[in-house]
Amino acid sequence: MITISLIKADIGSFPGHTRAPQKLIDKCKEYLEEVKGQLIVDYYVTRCGDDIQLLMTHTKGVDNEEIHALAWSVFERAANIAIEDKLYGAGQDLLADAFSGNIRGLGPGCAEMEFEEREAESIIAFMCDKTDPAAFNLPLFKIFADPFNTPGLVIDKKLTQGFVFEVHDLMAGKKISLKTPEEMYELLALIGNRDRYAIKRIYRKDGLLAAVVSTEKLSLIAGEYVGKDDPVALVRCQGGLPAVGEVLEPFAFPQLVAGWMRGSHWGPLMPVSEKDANPSRFDGPPRVIALGFQLRHGKLLGPVDMFADVAFDRARALANEIADYIRMHGPFQPHRLSEEQMEYTTLPHVLEKLSSRFAPIE
Ligand code: 13P
Ligand code: 13P
Ligand code: MG
Ligand code: MG
């Protein structure tokens, strides 16, 4: 069995929340190189905007203390450099003072899957900046449940059995599993509400794990706004699962996602190449990158930078148009998030100041 762990954190960037510097990425690589061939089989380090991503393969299973401790120490050591270099938000996502058993709940985001490597194991790692975990609800639904996106659901006999979606209620800390196609409407009733519900895992009905998303919510961990969660996801492709092109297809639509400036605005999710993952305009627009790998006994062949393709130019142009349009709303909803969502940003502090001045309407 092989485990693939994608663990990410914002440990400092420049200028503002734009980009994690190459120096920090190189440091993370250096630290992972020290344990390659021992604790881990292979690794790839990159960034999406200000978030650093550690993609690691190993044989220790998910939620493994040694692997999580490794990721924490890599981030911690790199964060110390970020602090010395006076980067913006140095150590931003390392919310705990010290590592304790499992990195989930300490700030970093985490998507992991353990499986028997198939004859040919194609995986896409998605990484976002300036948005939250529910940003994956729409694309994952389309990939695994919408035959207009994924013809394989209709014409590949291994896919016609359908999938099981594990959905998390992030507010209540509860989970539910729903089957498609038969419970598609119930599934949409939940995941269409992106304030609260996020897809965590997707299994093929025969039990094969197909996708996993990091669903850690920083504000719920910290109890206040400390930056957006900037989620990652791993999706297995081909050979009885959606093809690579079916997995990428939903990102040709730059859906509106929560995040962007101060984590408080709806904006279009723009698919970009690794090198173009530099949120600038209004600290965005929100970005997603997609890196394709092939596994060989846990070794990572790749990546192929999937959105570094002219086929996604139109999506980017549309995202820019949507950005022009929605920005014109300034501080008005629906550009600004709803009051319930803003509860987890800085708005409550502003409203507090006014609370004593509210008088009843006659
Ligand atoms: P597989 O069934 O081998 O995944 O091939 C399907 C395909 O490549 C469709 O584009
Ligand atoms: P990050 O969540 O990417 O750190 O961005 C925070 C922010 O406030 C952007 O305006
Ligand atoms: Mg940041
Ligand atoms: Mg970020």
Side-chain angles (χ1 to χ4, degrees), residues 10 13 17 50 92 130:
D10 178 346
S13 52
H17 293 281
D50 58 4
Q92 179 180 291
K130 308 294 182 266

Side-chain angles (χ1 to χ4, degrees), residues 10 17 50 92 129-130 225 227-228 230 261-262 283:
D10 178 346
H17 293 281
D50 58 4
Q92 179 180 291
D129 191 26
K130 308 294 182 266
Y225 179 64
K228 244 348 192 197
D230 301 338
M261 174 57 73
R262 298 173 186 273
D283 283 2

Side-chain angles (χ1 to χ4, degrees), residues 78-139:
N80 285 333
I81 297 166
I83 292 165
E84 266 171 44
D85 286 354
K86 294 188 68 182
L87 293 182
Y88 193 75
Q92 179 180 291
D93 289 359
L94 307 184
L95 301 177
D97 296 327
F99 178 72
S100 54
N102 191 307
I103 208 161
R104 289 188 291 113
L106 305 184
C110 184
E112 297 183 289
M113 41 167 73
E114 185 183 31
F115 50 75
E116 206 69 66
E117 205 176 273
R118 293 172 297 159
E119 202 176 298
E121 189 66 60
S122 304
I123 291 198
I124 309 281
F126 291 99
M127 303 153 187
C128 299
D129 191 26
K130 308 294 182 266
T131 187
D132 64 19
F136 283 114
N137 285 6
L138 186 152

Side-chain angles (χ1 to χ4, degrees), residues 156 238-240 243:
D156 180 338
Q238 303 289 157

